[in-house]
Amino acid sequence: MKSREYQQIDPQALPTPVRTPPHDHPQADGGDGRKEPRRTPRRKWEVFPGKNRFFCDGRIMMARQSGVFPLTLGLILVTSGLFFIFDCPFLVKHLTGCIPAIGGVLFVFVLVTLLQTSFTDPGILPRATPEEAADVERQIDDTGNTSYRPPPRTKEVLINQQVIKLKYCFTCKMFRPPRTSHCSLCDNCVERFDHHCPWVGNCVGKRNYRFFYTFIVSLSFLTAFIFGCVTTHLALRAQGGKGLVFALKESPGSAVELAICFFSVWSILGLSGFHTYLVASNLTTNEDIKGSWSGKSGEGVTNPYSHKNIFINCCSVLCAPMPPSLIDRRGLVPAEESAQTGGMDTERPKLNNKSEMNVVGGSLHLVFDVQESCSDFSLLLNHTKTVPLPARSLVACYSPNTVSVCFPVSECCVKVTPLCAVFQLLSKVCIDHAFYWVWLVESIKHSCLYVFIRHISWKGTVCLLIK
Amino acid sequence: MTHSLQDMRQQAAVAAKVFVQRDYTSGTMCQFQTKFPSELETKIDKQQFEETIRTLNNLYAEAEKLGSQSFIEGCLACLTAYTVFLCMETHYEKVLKKIAKYIQEQNDKIYAPRGLLLTDPIERGLRVIEITIYEDRSFTR
């Protein structure tokens, strides 16, 4: 996202600033798939603000960091492969032909549920539209303080005669429904958030919890089954006084399987047991860890979502109707939006008389303009935090509406190429309750400084030329 | 969208948007508040509005209901390692279609003639029912 974009800047042409040409990431990276202004409408997954990766034109999604998912997949495939190659022929001959059949069924189950857990939308809540966010803010009593981050807002609701506090999510700009949590790794609010599983490379939430549960249960069966079979196999081979070492020499793959299964079966069984308990009491890992209903905070605090019946709890978690995905990945972005933002990025900036620069005591105070069409750019307000500036920088700006902003700039030069040097790589600034990425790029060749400001939902960048 | 609604959209300007929030008193089930927003007082009958919201609430409750049918579907899905979800339309999706039809019907019959437009909550992540109030300009009463 970062250094790649800077190299594309041609100071002379005054760019389409920061368009990532599609080189090594053909699958759009949560928004970077945008190219030069094009007439063809984009799909919504291309402009998705969270940190997710999409494949197959939006049909499959994962978290951006796949974690140890390849390792999980590899271990399962390797262990099962070795099992079918080394142990099955022997066991079929000496015991029964059911063994590979059972193993096969378990293996397929494990693989299918793993892929479903990793590739399904866990229950991501789309971010609030600007009008919705404004409406929510209007209803909240704003004390009008000038710090970057106003005090956390909460709303209380009564659920099954119990008071639950709903928190306001600053990133998604809405009050989180009960049991929803914001995953910082994926930068999304997820409904009935359980946990973010690195083994699976995705969050586990309302929509994929049943897949996850089936996965770990079938995996424990598979691991135990393979462990049992391998032990039987080695025991049979070692019969007649031949010894274990002989058996292992005859079937080296079994040694590997034995090791893997032995070390993993305990943790997987433990995890299955734990999640069975959670399912029976209709709890999430998140709530269990935080102790929300354990009565730490006082008497009379019970889980308001539990149906007080183990069977019904299990049904509601595992057999309830499958909720739909709320983020509509493959829908098309409405034409007005793409035209606006496309136009904004590609328009050649013109110098504006109203532009103004203040370098007051080493602070960067920008007065710059933003096009009306892009409604996300409600940048404003003089925040007075100041920091020393790099000596060579000056500020001027160009665009239609004038807004003024002051933000901290650090002096560290991060990357130098023949064309430019990068300062202050991607500082995240909160301006008027909205977050923007801000970064400076200096063109060494032309002795000018560019300031880029981009809304975190990747809706368009304002590029200011600083001479 | 019907022809008249398209016309209205093109000619009329948006005066305001009202958001009907979720009602969490019965838990995480999808229900909306039946409280009548003050901005709509001059535009529509209170009974009419509450009727619409109540019907929507009932439809959503039907979608999420834990009945014997959903139990059987759930067990079947589990036995097939949930691959049925890739081929079949789920019960929830079927009800969502019903809801979309109902909203369009309500818009055509009741809300559009009064210069209002209901947005299907699924387009807002099932968080709010967005009601757009159009300026009273270009269509006859």
Side-chain angles (χ1 to χ4, degrees), chain A residues 30 79 124 201 263 317 357 413 440:
Chain A
T79 315
I124 295 176
F263 287 114
V317 177
M357 173 276 281
C413 180
L440 307 180

Side-chain angles (χ1 to χ4, degrees), chain A residues 174-233:
Chain A
M174 60 176 179
F175 278 101
R176 284 186 212 130
R179 305 192 105 174
T180 304
S181 195
H182 191 94
C183 176
S184 43
L185 287 164
C186 304
D187 206 22
N188 290 315
C189 269
V190 177
E191 283 193 294
R192 205 186 180 277
F193 181 73
D194 197 84
H195 65 286
H196 182 100
C197 186
W199 295 95
V200 149
N202 201 3
C203 286
V204 177
K206 183 161 94 167
R207 294 188 77 241
N208 65 353
Y209 186 72
R210 64 190 77 189
F211 303 143
F212 176 74
Y213 183 73
T214 316
F215 167 62
I216 54 175
V217 168
S218 44
L219 187 63
S220 18
F221 279 126
L222 181 68
T223 319
F225 180 72
I226 292 183
F227 189 66
C229 287
V230 170
T231 316
T232 315
H233 174 201

